[in-house]
Amino acid sequence: MAGAQEIAGRPIAEIFGWSAHAYDFALPARKGASYELGGRTYPVCADLSGDMRLAFVSCNGQEEGDADRPLEVRNRMWRRLLTEHGERPFSLLVQGGDQLYADEAMRSHPETARWKKAPNRKRPGIAFTPEMRLAARRWYAERYLRLAAEPAMAEIVARVPSMMMWDDHDIMDGWGSHPAAIQESPVGIGLFEVAREMFKLFQLGLGADEPMPLAPSPSEAGFTFGARFPGLSILVPDLRSERSLTRVMGPEGWRAFDRLLEDVGEGDRVVLVSTVPVLGPRLSVVERLLNKMPKAQDYEDDLRDQWQSYAHRLEWVRLLESLERVAQTRGAAVTVLSGEIHLATRGTMSFRGGAGELHQLVASGITHPEPSSLYAGGLGLLARFGESPVPGCPIRMRPLPGKSATYTAERNYLVLDRQGGRWTAEWELEKSGRTKSLAI
């Protein structure tokens, strides 16, 4: 029920003996809105016109054994986020990639497991059979259903509208940054198609043939979308569907992103969700070095994944200049939300002509275990070199408020708060607790 109106569900999928139904309804833009489903009432803070709070999470899993972790350990930060919502409700939950870790989908069938272990030269010769597709679809469906039933996450996504975009682990680790022998092989293409079908169903709530309702233009190439609220434009580009070794977004992706920028309102707060950080240390130097080391190729896809990769530098500059332009021409304040690196950090880039500065806020991961302090320290050392891909727009990586190290190795989530038109950001850290408030 939405108020006194009864909404009929529409079937969008029949899969493995169960039916998926979507319910399309609107709630009044107020804090006391609610809907009823299955005999339960779910309150929703549906007012995004004035003071509001937004939560950002990413990296909801781990590469191996994610389903085997005790829920009280795995979902500690989800429970903390749910508790905070009960005290001060969120109007929106942005999920910035890797909502599902699909690495173990390779084990769903003996032949996909063989493909994973095979050298690149042999991978194109392994067929993707109907039996392999069926096994992969079953794995994805069962894992998504299990995640959706985990109590803390289930409770908050039932009460807070989500905007979600996929990243590599929703498909496979490093998708888009692998050679053609992997991505253009029958098994690579088949697994991508299955991951795409399941992402669209379980994260976007759409049937296989349904268009994206918030997309700037119809597209078969990707899932780029955006939404405008009073004083707030949220832009969510798809950085995986068209990705390859030499590009982050393809022609359709860039065309859709440029359309989103055209729709930004005068003086809006622009929130760009970039699943991979836009600002970061000078990793292109490390990438070139590792390319010369024959035993270091295991890390190549991780480095090629970054905007800062030497292979993506022209696109990176194009993105940064686009954000600077919307700040200059629309008077927009630009904030970038990113995940992916399993650390918390922030960065700034100054705009020319007194147009302010871009704030990047990285929160990762909500359940992924924190990496070693050595890893965080190494990235911090690289960040000291600085980077200025756009002349006159220096980039600086900075510690979280109250921290001395540039990168914080703790599980975390991010909270954005708009009060009286003023925006602030705070990170909730698993061990350190709440950071000080940062004006953005």
Side-chain angles (χ1 to χ4, degrees):
M1 300 284 290
Q5 183 181 4
E6 184 172 346
I7 307 296
R10 54 183 176 83
I12 57 175
E14 296 284 340
I15 183 169
F16 301 114
W18 56 266
S19 300
H21 294 258
Y23 295 83
D24 299 318
F25 59 90
L27 292 173
R30 55 183 174 83
K31 292 180 169 59
S34 65
Y35 69 95
E36 182 181 309
L37 181 66
R40 290 187 65 185
T41 298
Y42 297 93
V44 179
C45 184
D47 183 8
L48 289 93
S49 62
D51 295 347
M52 61 166 287
R53 282 160 44 86
L54 178 157
F56 176 80
V57 303
S58 70
C59 299
N60 180 37
Q62 66 181 31
E63 291 81 352
E64 297 288 336
D66 186 45
D68 300 327
R69 288 192 287 171
L71 292 185
E72 63 269 19
V73 175
R74 183 194 189 279
N75 292 337
R76 182 174 294 128
M77 298 306 291
W78 278 115
R79 290 197 302 276
R80 200 176 292 183
L81 183 63
L82 178 62
T83 298
E84 181 168 351
H85 172 70
E87 296 168 350
R88 294 186 62 198
F90 296 106
S91 295
L92 192 63
L93 174 62
V94 178
Q95 301 192 48
D98 297 340
Q99 281 73 247
L100 174 93
Y101 273 64
D103 305 72
E104 292 176 314
M106 304 285 189
R107 301 175 189 168
S108 61
H109 190 279
E111 282 297 287
T112 51
R114 182 169 75 89
W115 177 85
K116 177 177 173 57
K117 294 178 181 179
N120 282 352
R121 69 181 185 278
K122 293 187 176 182
R123 283 176 166 173
I126 300 176
F128 193 65
T129 66
E131 293 77 17
M132 293 162 70
R133 183 180 297 274
L134 182 66
R137 292 178 76 239
R138 184 182 296 276
W139 186 93
Y140 273 92
E142 289 179 350
R143 186 68 189 126
Y144 268 120
L145 286 170
R146 183 167 175 176
L147 281 175
E150 292 182 4
M153 181 179 173
E155 289 296 317
I156 195 163
V157 298
R159 290 164 170 79
V160 185
S162 282
M163 300 179 72
M164 308 165 82
M165 178 54 70
W166 68 351
D167 203 34
D168 61 329
H169 286 285
D170 299 283
I171 309 164
M172 69 171 69
D173 185 16
W175 177 263
S177 298
H178 293 298
I182 295 177
Q183 295 200 187
E184 297 177 17
S185 69
V187 176
I189 293 171
L191 288 173
F192 174 81
E193 290 173 347
V194 172
R196 186 182 192 279
E197 173 196 4
M198 296 301 174
F199 167 75
K200 193 173 182 182
L201 176 60
F202 286 99
Q203 296 198 42
L204 302 181
L206 297 171
D209 299 322
E210 292 185 308
M212 286 282 293
L214 297 177
S217 58
S219 171
E220 293 298 322
F223 297 110
T224 293
F225 70 96
R228 283 202 64 199
F229 306 101
L232 172 63
S233 292
I234 300 180
L235 319 180
V236 192
D238 180 349
L239 306 185
R240 291 294 163 182
S241 288
E242 296 178 279
R243 183 186 279 264
S244 72
L245 286 174
T246 57
R247 71 185 189 191
V248 178
M249 289 192 287
E252 289 199 43
W254 276 108
R255 189 158 45 247
F257 181 67
D258 290 340
R259 285 281 304 276
L260 291 178
L261 289 174
E262 291 172 4
D263 292 337
V264 168
E266 189 72 27
D268 270 6
R269 165 70 55 170
V270 171
V271 173
L272 170 68
V273 181
S274 175
T275 53
V276 176
V278 169
L279 310 182
R282 192 176 294 181
L283 294 174
S284 58
V285 176
V286 179
E287 184 182 7
R288 290 186 184 277
L289 178 63
L290 289 180
N291 283 344
K292 300 180 183 299
M293 301 169 63
K295 294 185 179 180
Q297 268 60 55
D298 286 346
Y299 303 98
E300 186 176 10
D301 65 294
D302 293 323
L303 294 168
R304 187 60 63 91
D305 251 10
Q306 308 305 313
W307 281 105
Q308 301 97 304
S309 169
Y310 64 82
H312 305 317
R313 194 170 185 89
L314 291 179
E315 274 190 284
W316 186 31
V317 170
R318 177 179 177 177
L319 175 71
L320 295 175
E321 289 181 337
S322 297
L323 296 175
E324 182 190 33
R325 188 162 52 251
V326 80
Q328 292 173 336
T329 61
R330 306 291 174 88
V334 182
T335 302
V336 176
L337 305 183
S338 294
E340 198 263 339
I341 60 174
H342 310 149
L343 298 163
T345 189
R346 68 184 187 96
T348 59
M349 187 184 86
S350 299
F351 293 136
R352 293 166 291 195
E357 63 181 2
L358 177 155
H359 285 272
Q360 174 180 269
L361 315 174
V362 178
S364 173
I366 186 71
T367 69
H368 193 285
E370 71 273 11
S372 69
S373 57
L374 183 64
Y375 169 70
L379 286 181
L381 287 175
L382 285 172
R384 292 184 182 181
F385 289 99
E387 185 82 286
S388 297
V390 179
C393 298
I395 291 172
R396 296 288 182 270
M397 298 306 297
R398 303 180 185 277
L400 302 186
K403 296 288 186 179
S404 57
T406 304
Y407 293 88
T408 299
E410 298 183 39
R411 296 197 297 183
N412 60 88
Y413 62 81
L414 175 72
V415 173
L416 297 187
D417 197 343
R418 180 173 66 184
Q419 298 292 323
R422 177 175 175 267
W423 286 86
T424 57
E426 297 176 356
W427 284 260
E428 181 70 21
L429 303 169
E430 182 174 16
K431 298 172 184 175
S432 304
R434 198 65 156 215
T435 67
K436 297 178 181 178
S437 184
L438 172 72
I440 57 173

